[in-house]
């Protein structure tokens, strides 16, 4: 990975160390610039990005549901649920085709981050994403992250463990 600042490199290394010590090497995958963990039907991404020249943040996020129709009812449900979340919030990413993705995200200032803070963020995002994805698909359509991945695999391919 190419780092934009020394602060980003330091926080990335600290994040990798914390994630490996907490979740182990086998449960952790690196994809491009993000660490990826699976929790049930949800995937959690952990990415480090610079803030200015001397600081960096850790972003923990999950694509909860993809390829769904964005409606007023969906937006109200997400905004209402945001009030109940301890960590993070729901947002929408809308593609050029008008289809949306529900994203659950939490950010931590990486400079002072400790293992417990990162663990709490990852666990909260993973738990809510895995619980809420099936509810959203049932109510509004779309696919979970695992469902999206399954559709991208060639016929007869095995899903990851």
């Amino acid at each position: 990975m190419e780092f934009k600042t020394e602060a980003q490199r330091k926080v990335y290394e600290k994040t990798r160390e914390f994630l490996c010590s907490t979740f182990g090497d086998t449960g952790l995958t690196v994809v491009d610039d993000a660490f990826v963990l699976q929790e049930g039907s949800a995937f959690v991404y952990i990415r480090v990005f610079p803030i200015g020249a001397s600081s960096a943040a850790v972003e923990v996020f999950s694509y909860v549901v993809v390829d769904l129709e964005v409606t007023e009812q969906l937006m109200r449900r997400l905004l209402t649920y945001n009030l109940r979340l301890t960590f993070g919030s729901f947002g929408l990413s809308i593609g050029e085709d008008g289809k949306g993705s529900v994203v659950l995200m939490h950010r931590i200032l990486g400079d002072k981050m400790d293992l417990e803070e990162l663990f709490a963020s990852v666990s909260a995002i993973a738990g809510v994403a895995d619980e809420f994805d099936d509810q959203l698909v049932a109510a509004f359509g779309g696919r979970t992250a695992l469902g999206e991945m399954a559709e991208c695999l060639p016929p007869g391919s095995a899903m990851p463990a």
Side-chain angles (χ1 to χ4, degrees):
M1 174 170 166
E2 186 176 322
F3 300 104
K4 294 179 181 171
T5 65
E6 181 63 16
Q8 181 188 20
R9 183 191 63 74
K10 286 180 180 179
V11 172
Y12 180 91
E13 289 174 0
K14 178 168 62 169
T15 302
R16 180 182 60 217
E17 178 185 319
F18 286 171
L19 291 171
C20 287
S21 70
T22 304
F23 299 103
D25 290 336
T26 57
L28 189 64
T29 304
V30 178
V31 177
D32 297 326
D33 66 343
F35 301 100
V36 184
L37 296 164
Q38 183 178 350
E39 176 69 29
S41 57
F43 291 95
V44 178
Y45 300 83
I46 302 97
R47 186 178 74 88
V48 177
F49 61 94
I51 300 175
S54 59
S55 194
V58 177
E59 183 174 64
V60 180
F61 64 97
S62 178
Y63 289 97
V64 181
V65 178
V66 298
D67 197 31
L68 79 163
E69 195 69 36
V70 177
T71 64
E72 182 178 338
Q73 185 181 9
L74 170 66
M75 291 186 284
R76 286 180 184 274
R77 177 111 171 244
L78 295 176
L79 284 172
T80 301
Y81 202 83
N82 275 345
L83 294 173
R84 297 175 27 201
L85 294 174
T86 303
F87 293 104
S89 60
F90 285 105
L92 288 170
S93 172
I94 302 173
E96 291 179 16
D97 62 356
K99 292 289 186 171
S101 297
V102 175
V103 181
L104 179 60
M105 180 183 302
H106 182 243
R107 291 186 179 131
I108 305 167
L109 185 59
D111 306 0
K112 305 289 184 196
M113 176 185 69
D114 61 23
L115 187 133
E116 291 79 18
E117 185 177 20
L118 180 61
F119 178 76
S121 180
V122 170
S123 297
I125 297 300
V128 171
D130 186 41
E131 172 193 342
F132 209 58
D133 60 359
D134 295 321
Q135 294 174 28
L136 286 176
V137 168
F140 301 101
R143 294 186 308 279
T144 65
L146 195 58
E148 171 77 2
M149 186 175 172
E151 287 192 13
C152 294
L153 291 174
S157 296
M159 291 296 293

